[in-house]
Amino acid sequence: MREAFQYYEHAQSFDKVQVRCWRRGEHAVDLVSSGGHDAMFPGRKVFPVRFLLRHYPVRGQAHGERKVLAERLQRFDSEERARGWHVQYGHHGQPSQDPGTPAGASFLRDSASLILYDPERVRLRLLLETRRVEELEERLAAWEGGGGAATDRDGAGGKPGSAAYERLSRELHARNLEAAAERERAEALGRELDARHREVARLAAELDARNREVARLAAELDARNREVARLAAELDARNREAARLAAELDARNREVAAERERAEGLSRELDARHREAARLAAELHARNLEMAAERERAEALGRELDARHREAARLAVELVARDAELAARGDDLLRLRAELEARGRELAAILASRSWRWTVPLRAAARRSRGH
């Protein structure tokens, strides 16, 4: 809004009746008699410097036609207008500046007839032209417009006397001199303000460069953040892979334990086979002794001996097969025993480590907590 409307005009007399901020006291405040514009109560003291009010009553031709012509002028009460209210839109009877706009409805103003808004100058003007100065100018203008030379005030409420007129003139002249001095100071302040504005422009350019640098750094930071996010995702994938490998290792450990149990079973079976083989070897030896003793009866028992030889050959073949199987089982057993010894060495290294010794109290406490 402030960028679109950079020009203004001084407020007219009916726009200056704006006393609507007060400190609450013991008396009731009358707002009805002034239509809400002038707060009245006993003992009121109005602040001499007017507040700065930036009012945008009409913001364009279409807005003005709708607000003023279609809405406001049609509903204003005649009695209230007779009291001097609702006069802010009475000047719209002038000819239109736009040929396409009906006469009396122009809401457009030439910027050449307006004042470029300078907040510092406006605030200085409000400080110089206080309510007291406005009152003196209005009273002096009213006396000068009364016509003729000033006379003493009569009992019928005539014009003010020359003494009061001269006093007001001197006071207004003093105020004007003071205002002139303040204007000179304001011009010096204006020059200083221009220098400050140039410095502000330089700082703004520097700030803009800094902002571009910050934007570049922000973009770089965003890229770094995306890279960190990518690395975090990759790390998460690596963690999931590590978890998978840990689960696979645990499965392999369980499989090794199962194989160890099976090897122990095979070892027990191999021991039994060895005992059986020893028994058979002892029995064969006894049979050989018996055969040597019974050699004399060999001729008579030849056929029986041949049959026994064939049985022995079959048993020998079976024994060879059993020996081969036992040899294979023995290799497996040796491999398993070697792996068991390696695991035993690892367990011994763990038991001999500092961490194992240092955590003895913790394990003891854990066993006690489990009731072992």
Side-chain angles (χ1 to χ4, degrees):
M1 183 69 68
R2 295 189 177 188
E3 294 179 358
F5 297 94
Q6 299 183 5
Y7 292 86
Y8 76 102
E9 64 180 356
H10 294 309
Q12 300 186 36
S13 59
F14 50 79
D15 284 328
K16 294 183 178 181
V17 184
Q18 299 285 344
V19 182
R20 294 185 291 183
C21 179
W22 66 91
R23 186 175 64 182
R24 186 171 62 180
E26 59 182 2
H27 300 290
V29 179
D30 177 19
L31 291 172
V32 177
S33 60
S34 62
H37 286 261
D38 196 4
M40 303 295 295
F41 52 87
R44 185 185 75 163
K45 294 181 179 180
V46 181
F47 189 67
V49 180
R50 293 185 180 273
F51 292 175
L52 180 60
L53 174 62
R54 301 182 65 160
H55 187 209
Y56 305 92
V58 178
R59 303 173 186 176
Q61 182 65 31
H63 178 245
E65 291 177 0
R66 182 181 70 254
K67 176 180 178 179
V68 177
L69 301 180
E71 298 177 359
R72 298 295 177 88
L73 292 179
Q74 302 299 325
R75 72 182 187 188
F76 286 158
D77 185 82
S78 58
E79 294 182 359
E80 292 179 350
R81 299 197 68 172
R83 296 172 61 182
W85 295 4
H86 312 308
V87 298
Q88 64 270 30
Y89 299 125
H91 62 282
H92 285 290
Q94 62 185 2
S96 174
Q97 298 178 1
D98 187 357
T101 304
S106 175
F107 295 93
L108 304 179
R109 295 289 300 275
D110 185 4
S111 61
S113 64
L114 301 175
I115 305 170
L116 180 63
Y117 181 75
D118 184 348
E120 300 299 331
R121 294 182 182 277
V122 171
R123 291 186 178 92
L124 180 60
R125 178 173 172 271
L126 291 177
L127 291 175
L128 294 177
E129 299 179 5
T130 61
R131 293 179 182 271
R132 177 59 176 167
V133 173
E134 293 177 0
E135 180 184 355
L136 291 174
E137 290 178 346
E138 290 176 359
R139 291 172 61 184
L140 186 60
W143 290 341
E144 290 177 347
T151 59
D152 293 336
R153 188 182 302 272
D154 55 18
K159 298 178 182 179
S162 58
Y165 178 79
E166 291 177 358
R167 181 177 58 81
L168 290 176
S169 297
R170 287 193 300 273
E171 184 176 353
L172 182 59
H173 180 66
R175 292 297 177 92
N176 288 335
L177 292 178
E178 182 180 353
E182 290 294 333
R183 285 191 183 91
E184 291 179 359
R185 191 169 65 88
E187 290 177 357
L189 291 175
R191 290 189 295 271
E192 182 180 356
L193 182 62
D194 292 338
R196 294 291 178 86
H197 284 168
R198 289 192 295 272
E199 179 67 14
V200 167
R202 185 186 65 79
L203 293 176
E206 183 177 350
L207 179 61
D208 184 64
R210 293 291 179 84
N211 288 336
R212 289 194 296 271
E213 178 67 14
V214 168
R216 184 186 66 79
L217 293 176
E220 183 177 351
L221 179 61
D222 184 64
R224 294 289 180 85
N225 288 336
R226 289 194 297 270
E227 179 67 15
V228 168
R230 184 187 66 79
L231 293 176
E234 183 177 352
L235 179 61
D236 185 65
R238 294 291 179 85
N239 290 336
R240 290 195 298 270
E241 180 67 15
R244 185 187 65 79
L245 292 176
E248 184 177 352
L249 179 60
D250 185 65
R252 292 294 177 86
N253 289 334
R254 290 194 297 270
E255 184 178 352
V256 167
E259 289 293 331
R260 185 180 294 111
E261 292 179 0
R262 190 167 67 86
E264 291 175 356
L266 292 175
S267 178
R268 289 190 297 271
E269 184 179 354
L270 183 61
D271 292 338
R273 293 294 178 89
H274 283 166
R275 289 192 296 272
E276 179 68 14
R279 187 187 65 78
L280 290 175
E283 183 179 354
L284 182 60
H285 181 66
R287 292 292 177 89
N288 288 332
L289 292 177
E290 184 180 356
M291 286 173 59
E294 295 292 334
R295 186 174 293 139
E296 294 178 356
R297 295 188 304 162
E299 294 178 358
L301 298 175
R303 289 186 297 272
E304 182 180 357
L305 183 59
D306 291 337
R308 293 291 179 90
H309 282 173
R310 287 191 296 271
E311 179 67 17
R314 185 184 64 79
L315 291 174
V317 171
E318 183 177 353
L319 182 61
V320 170
R322 293 291 179 89
D323 288 340
E325 182 178 357
L326 288 175
R329 296 291 178 87
D331 294 338
D332 292 340
L333 181 60
L334 291 176
R335 181 180 59 81
L336 293 174
R337 283 179 177 173
E339 184 177 353
L340 183 59
E341 289 176 358
R343 293 297 177 90
R345 287 191 297 272
E346 291 180 4
L347 180 59
I350 291 174
L351 294 176
S353 64
R354 292 182 180 178
S355 60
W356 184 264
R357 294 197 304 271
W358 290 350
T359 55
V360 168
L362 296 179
R363 293 195 301 277
R367 286 195 297 272
R368 287 196 298 272
S369 65
R370 291 195 297 269
H372 294 295

